Amino acid sequence: MSDELWTFERLAPGAKFGPVEVPLNGERVEGWQGVYGPVAGDHAPDGLIVAGMMEAYIRAIQPRPKGNVHAAQKLSFTGQRARLGETVTYTVEVLSKEQKKGRNWIVFAIAASAGGTPLLRGEVTAIWAA
Amino acid sequence: MTDFPDTLPPLTLTSSAETARSYAALTQDWNPIHLDPEFAAKAGFERPIVHGTMALNLLVEAVEKGSDGALRIADLDIRFAAPTWIGQALTAQATREGGETYAVSVTADDGRVVMRGNARLTPRNPDQRKPTE
């Protein structure tokens, strides 16, 4: 992995990152329950897949500037669910970027699947700090 | 046929330094703006701010719990409108606009709307399960 910072200039539309694997293990389930309360049943809450999306987004693009702002979010769930204990695979792609009023706006597309079954597609709109 | 209620029961979460650390560990988002008062102050915030997707996932949970698991989010489009300070309570709400579409928001306990947008809800099909491998 390169130590070169992923700046706005370097992040080109079409650039792909990952895959990043996020296991739905006991540590993550405990973390989820520490914020939102008990998980019922043996399927992952939809929000746990969203939390994994953020982890993948952060792990996939490193090193990154400090102070990026998460400005907006789109999500589309397929309705398929992952079971606790499975591993979710995420891919990240730069969809678009533009500079507006001195700020660096980037839209990232993130897809999640488990065992080849699509679970979620998200778009993170970020203001990139550098 | 699943009913789409006019509103879903609000769901509230009180943020704290402990929930911020739990959420940071969960997402590996250790951005000090969420955790370090000194860093947050240098960035122009009076206190560390709540992770944006902690509020977003409160909404996801509100749909799940408020419908007793009958409904889920199919599509969602939101923007984070304002920061929430660690220590504040957040409340997620969903109000039907028509059909399957809901106006969704998360409000901080000082009355500011910190996240707003819309979502399309859909019945959760109990048979729609990823098969065990």
Side-chain angles (χ1 to χ4, degrees), chain A residues 56-80:
Chain A
Y57 162 67
I58 290 165
R59 281 173 49 195
I61 305 171
Q62 288 291 344
R64 57 171 50 205
K66 282 186 179 176
N68 298 329
V69 176
H70 189 172
Q73 179 71 57
K74 293 181 181 177
L75 295 173
S76 292
F77 292 93
T78 65
Q80 299 294 328

Side-chain angles (χ1 to χ4, degrees), chain A residues 37-59:
Chain A
V39 172
D42 62 352
H43 287 90
D46 287 345
L48 190 54
I49 308 305
V50 177
M53 178 190 77
M54 293 310 296
E55 177 180 344
Y57 162 67
I58 290 165
R59 281 173 49 195

Side-chain angles (χ1 to χ4, degrees), chain A residues 8-98:
Chain A
F8 179 77
E9 187 177 354
R10 285 186 71 206
L11 288 164
K16 293 180 172 60
F17 299 86
V20 176
E21 296 200 332
V22 176
L24 302 176
N25 55 20
E27 182 182 0
R28 286 181 175 79
V29 174
E30 283 176 20
W32 174 266
Q33 292 183 145
V35 180
Y36 298 104
V39 172
D42 62 352
H43 287 90
D46 287 345
L48 190 54
I49 308 305
V50 177
M53 178 190 77
M54 293 310 296
E55 177 180 344
Y57 162 67
I58 290 165
R59 281 173 49 195
I61 305 171
Q62 288 291 344
R64 57 171 50 205
K66 282 186 179 176
N68 298 329
V69 176
H70 189 172
Q73 179 71 57
K74 293 181 181 177
L75 295 173
S76 292
F77 292 93
T78 65
Q80 299 294 328
R81 305 180 79 184
R83 291 179 188 275
L84 300 177
E86 280 193 299
T87 293
V88 180
T89 302
Y90 295 87
T91 57
V92 182
E93 178 177 356
V94 179
L95 266 190
S96 63
K97 68 174 185 178
E98 64 174 328

Side-chain angles (χ1 to χ4, degrees), chain A residues 28 35-36 43 46-47 50 55 58 70-77 79-81 83 86 114-115, chain B residues 13 26-27 29 53-54 56-57 61 65 72-80 124 128-130 132-133:
Chain A
R28 286 181 175 79
V35 180
Y36 298 104
H43 287 90
D46 287 345
V50 177
E55 177 180 344
I58 290 165
H70 189 172
Q73 179 71 57
K74 293 181 181 177
L75 295 173
S76 292
F77 292 93
Q80 299 294 328
R81 305 180 79 184
R83 291 179 188 275
E86 280 193 299
Chain B
L13 164 71
L26 179 64
T27 57
D29 182 354
T53 56
M54 187 192 290
L56 171 56
N57 275 334
E61 283 288 283
K65 291 177 175 167
R72 65 174 179 84
I73 292 174
D75 304 293
L76 172 138
D77 186 352
I78 59 93
R79 69 182 183 88
F80 298 105
R124 187 182 290 285
Q128 204 167 26
R129 293 285 191 267
K130 187 173 181 298
T132 304
E133 292 171 359

